[in-house]
Amino acid sequence: NTSQFLRPFIETLEAGNVPDFDAVLKELDTQAADVESRRVQANKKVKALNAEVLRLASEHKKAVLSTRLEFESALDHIQVLETKVTSVSGKAIAMGQILEKVDRQRRRAHEAESAIETFEALRSTDEAVRLHAFESIIKEGSPLESASMLKKLSAIAKGVEDSKSVLESLEVLNERFETSVISEFDQEYDIWRSSQNPDALEAMRRCATALVCFNGGAACIQRYIATRPAFMDESVILQDEESIARSSDEECCEAAVRGVLDAVAALAEEESEVLPRVFPAPEKVLGPMLRRAIEQRVGRVMEGALSTLEAGRGLEAWLRGVVA
């Protein structure tokens, strides 16, 4: 508006005429009053905005304080609940342990009662009752349960007088049971070797666990060790024999011995992965297996190498090199 008002004044001056200075001054006063009015209004708005900012800041502070108090209160409640839950969980665990112990005792009592009833049936004068009792001892698909029952019956028979006939029958049944479980173990092992089916390993573990419970599982362990390719595979045996035959000098002897030692180390690594999945106590299998490998394979190769070196009068020098 001011520029529009001054334009005619400037044009009048440029034309060489004298403008109406009073009108100009009057208009300038009007414009100045308008500017002052706008300034006053702006100051009022700034003050109002400052007041609103202070109010909002105060409310925000109160809200933060209130939220913090609520959070601390909720945290206290959570801690109280955690303490209660911990206490209840501890009691629940203790109760669970007690119930588990009672359940084990109940199962043992039931198994003992069943064993006594079976034993009495085995001593019955009724042939049909005795036959039914014998047939009920070994349960198909449950080797561990069958092993446990056979052990209990043997223990009862040994403690009761006039039980010779029952003991003799149990000895026959024990032998039949062990042979049957070992046969099943072998079948599952063949399946494992051909297909690497984990179900076969699980079945082998059931058999091994039952035999360990039954009599320590010595026959099963010996059977497993004897069927390792390292002890019965003809290619492995021929490889050892070829290593001995090639031992014509120190280097060949060292290579033969190192080769068979590497083979034993590979056997230990392989079996350490499989044995825990089959036997309840894998260390009782791995130890004898490695001893047999060392005695049978390493010993034979070492004997052949030493004979070769001794014949070539290089034994003493080779042994000194090994020690060095």
Side-chain angles (χ1 to χ4, degrees):
N1 293 335
T2 303
S3 60
Q4 293 177 356
F5 165 71
L6 291 176
R7 187 176 297 110
F9 174 72
I10 294 172
E11 291 175 353
T12 301
L13 288 174
E14 290 177 349
N17 300 321
V18 178
D20 187 355
F21 288 105
D22 291 336
V24 172
L25 293 173
K26 183 176 180 181
E27 184 61 27
L28 287 174
D29 290 340
T30 300
Q31 293 291 333
D34 183 60
V35 169
E36 179 63 21
S37 175
R38 290 176 182 270
R39 186 186 66 79
V40 172
Q41 291 178 1
N43 286 337
K44 290 181 179 179
K45 289 182 179 180
V46 168
K47 290 180 180 180
L49 289 173
N50 287 335
E52 183 66 15
V53 168
L54 293 175
R55 185 185 66 80
L56 291 175
S58 177
E59 290 183 356
H60 174 71
K61 185 176 181 180
K62 292 179 180 179
V64 170
L65 180 61
S66 176
T67 302
R68 182 177 178 181
L69 293 175
E70 291 177 359
F71 172 77
E72 291 177 350
S73 177
L75 184 61
D76 291 339
H77 284 299
I78 291 174
Q79 290 176 344
V80 171
L81 287 175
E82 286 180 347
T83 302
K84 292 181 178 179
V85 168
T86 301
S87 176
V88 172
S89 298
K91 293 178 180 179
I93 292 173
M95 183 62 69
Q97 292 173 341
I98 294 173
L99 291 175
E100 184 179 359
K101 182 178 180 180
V102 171
D103 185 60
R104 286 198 303 268
Q105 293 174 342
R106 181 189 61 79
R107 288 200 306 268
R108 290 174 180 173
H110 176 72
E111 291 172 357
E113 181 182 7
S114 177
I116 293 172
E117 291 177 354
T118 302
F119 177 75
E120 292 298 333
L122 293 176
R123 299 179 66 191
S124 173
T125 56
D126 190 329
E127 182 67 22
V129 173
R130 289 200 306 274
L131 180 61
H132 176 72
F134 273 111
E135 291 177 348
S136 68
I137 294 173
I138 298 180
K139 301 183 183 299
E140 185 176 356
S142 302
L144 182 60
E145 184 178 351
S146 301
S148 177
M149 177 59 74
L150 285 170
K151 284 189 65 176
K152 287 181 173 63
L153 289 173
S154 296
I156 294 172
K158 290 176 181 178
V160 176
E161 296 181 356
D162 301 328
S163 300
K164 182 179 180 181
S165 61
V166 175
L167 279 172
E168 292 175 350
S169 299
L170 286 175
E171 287 177 0
V172 175
L173 195 59
N174 288 342
E175 184 177 351
R176 187 191 309 169
F177 169 75
E178 185 176 25
T179 302
S180 173
V181 177
I182 290 178
S183 176
E184 182 181 353
F185 182 91
D186 290 341
Q187 292 174 5
E188 296 298 338
Y189 171 66
D190 291 337
I191 295 174
W192 162 250
R193 285 194 63 184
S194 61
S195 65
Q196 299 292 302
N197 187 343
D199 292 340
L201 278 183
E202 183 61 31
M204 290 171 63
R205 183 173 182 84
R206 286 198 298 270
C207 294
T209 302
L211 290 171
V212 169
C213 170
F214 180 59
N215 58 8
C220 180
I221 293 173
Q222 292 173 2
R223 179 77 172 174
Y224 181 84
I225 294 174
T227 55
R228 297 302 85 203
F231 307 125
M232 64 175 295
D233 193 331
E234 292 184 1
S235 64
V236 175
I237 297 173
L238 288 175
Q239 181 181 354
D240 290 345
E241 292 177 351
E242 290 174 359
S243 298
I244 297 172
R246 289 197 303 268
S247 301
S248 58
D249 54 30
E250 293 182 16
E251 291 185 359
C252 291
C253 289
E254 183 176 353
V257 173
R258 189 179 302 278
V260 74
L261 288 176
D262 289 342
V264 172
L267 172 68
E269 183 177 358
E270 178 184 353
E271 293 297 334
S272 63
E273 296 180 0
V274 177
L275 290 177
R277 302 170 63 184
V278 176
F279 291 94
E283 69 281 356
K284 294 183 179 180
V285 186
L286 184 60
M289 183 185 300
L290 293 181
R291 282 195 298 272
R292 178 169 176 177
I294 293 172
E295 293 171 358
Q296 181 172 318
R297 295 193 61 189
V298 179
R300 186 168 64 247
V301 173
M302 284 289 293
E303 183 178 356
L306 292 175
S307 297
T308 299
L309 291 169
E310 187 174 9
R313 299 182 180 278
L315 176 59
E316 183 177 355
W318 183 72
L319 290 175
R320 287 178 179 177
V322 172
V323 173

